[in-house]
Amino acid sequence: MKEMVLSLLEWIVGLGHLGIALGLMVEVIPSELVLSYAGYLISQGHLSFAGSVIAGTIGGTIAQLFLYWMGYYGGRPFLEKYGRYILISKKQIDLSESWFEKYGTGVIFFARFIPVVRHAISIPAGIAKMPFSKFTIYTLLAIIPWSILFIYLGSQLGSNWEDIKTIAAPFTRGIAIGAIVILFVVIVFKVRKGKK
């Protein structure tokens, strides 16, 4: 299995910056691996850092727009029926919808850094008909640092880029905790402001 994933990853990123964008748009392989492998190729002189970040941002954003549109035009019944074909489970839809209802549109930014919720959060945004421009801005603002982090880590790891899950764990855990704390502070602030 590992060899198949590696071969697919090499083929995708072998397409250059376009491959990075496609890899994040389709996300058959987790974005962390695609981006860290791109970082490795940067360390070998095959890709540019700026081009890789731009490609990662474009691909990651388009993937989320696709999910947003599925929620917007197809709604929950469509996603429950066909979501499994794009690796979105009912559990992910339930959890992301719950977060979206509880925390509002700002969760679009913060949820991008939290496992399980981060991919599916676009769906309830579409179902709730969140303004497209606002959704896109929040998504971009979250995907840019995500792309930079994993491309940078991959370039620093060089040929050890496959260890990205282990190396990145403290970063992603810290980012997820930070996102939850900030989200909590924002919610508390909104609740207090609403009581006044």
Side-chain angles (χ1 to χ4, degrees):
M1 181 71 170
K2 182 180 177 184
E3 290 79 24
M4 186 178 82
V5 169
L6 186 57
S7 296
L8 182 59
L9 185 60
E10 287 174 352
W11 179 79
I12 289 171
V13 181
L15 296 172
H17 294 115
L18 174 63
I20 296 168
L22 290 173
L24 268 68
M25 281 171 36
V26 177
E27 202 159 338
V28 173
I29 300 171
S31 63
E32 301 92 321
L33 292 179
V34 173
L35 294 169
S36 61
Y37 187 68
Y40 162 68
L41 291 178
I42 290 166
S43 75
Q44 302 299 304
H46 299 294
L47 295 171
S48 72
F49 188 86
S52 297
V53 170
I54 291 168
T57 302
I58 290 170
T61 302
I62 290 173
Q64 296 309 310
L65 291 175
F66 177 67
L67 293 172
Y68 170 86
W69 289 323
M70 285 177 56
Y72 193 94
Y73 294 109
R76 188 178 177 98
F78 175 83
L79 289 158
E80 285 180 358
K81 187 171 183 178
Y82 299 108
R84 66 175 181 246
Y85 298 111
I86 55 168
L87 306 176
I88 300 288
S89 69
K90 184 179 181 317
K91 179 184 173 189
Q92 288 173 304
I93 296 169
D94 291 342
L95 186 58
S96 61
E97 199 166 44
S98 167
W99 276 54
F100 190 80
E101 288 171 5
K102 222 184 261 185
Y103 306 122
T105 57
V107 78
I108 295 299
F109 174 80
F110 295 108
R112 298 275 177 232
F113 305 104
I114 301 168
V116 181
V117 181
R118 83 166 172 237
H119 296 297
I121 196 66
S122 302
I123 294 167
I127 291 170
K129 310 288 192 241
M130 179 180 178
F132 179 77
S133 58
K134 191 174 190 179
F135 172 82
T136 304
I137 289 168
Y138 284 173
T139 300
L140 278 169
L141 290 174
I143 288 176
I144 291 169
W146 186 261
S147 296
I148 290 171
L149 172 67
F150 283 99
I151 291 170
Y152 173 77
L153 290 174
S155 69
Q156 296 304 302
L157 289 171
S159 60
N160 295 319
W161 69 270
E162 289 183 63
D163 297 332
I164 193 68
K165 291 270 188 191
T166 306
I167 302 297
F171 294 102
T172 54
R173 193 175 305 115
I175 291 169
I177 290 168
I180 291 169
V181 168
I182 292 170
L183 185 60
F184 178 76
V185 169
V186 169
I187 291 165
V188 167
F189 179 74
K190 281 186 171 184
V191 168
R192 287 186 176 194
K193 188 177 177 184
K195 287 181 179 179
K196 290 179 183 179

